[in-house]
Amino acid sequence: TIDGEDGPVSGVADVNQAGTPTEGIPVTGTFTISGNGRGVGSLMFGTSSSTMGMYVTDPQTILLIENDPAVPNKFGPALKQF
């Protein structure tokens, strides 16, 4: 979960990699978000590591984009789950 405070991340994600959807990938890591809504996270999606830029767009949505040009593109919204 990302609770709006800097710190650990844990949960699951559904991903689409090269047209192949996969559900329930474990996600762990840490993140920081500044007062302007921009931040960075070091995340593990299963066994794949990512350094992601994070942009809070509203209380329910964070946009993510991969920062490492050597890693295949990862980007999209992370939506709050209830």
Side-chain angles (χ1 to χ4, degrees), residues 13-81:
D14 299 336
V15 299
N16 182 333
Q17 188 169 8
T20 302
T22 305
E23 296 179 353
I25 301 294
V27 179
T28 58
T30 59
F31 72 98
T32 59
I33 295 180
S34 66
N36 67 5
R38 295 181 180 188
V40 65
S42 296
L43 305 176
M44 292 290 297
F45 291 87
T47 59
S48 175
S49 65
S50 293
T51 302
M52 316 251 346
M54 307 174 103
Y55 304 91
V56 178
T57 59
D58 62 52
Q60 284 76 40
T61 310
I62 296 175
L63 297 179
L64 304 171
I65 187 163
E66 177 64 56
N67 285 341
D68 185 347
V71 174
N73 289 337
K74 295 178 188 164
F75 61 90
L79 305 175
K80 181 177 180 179
Q81 303 294 307

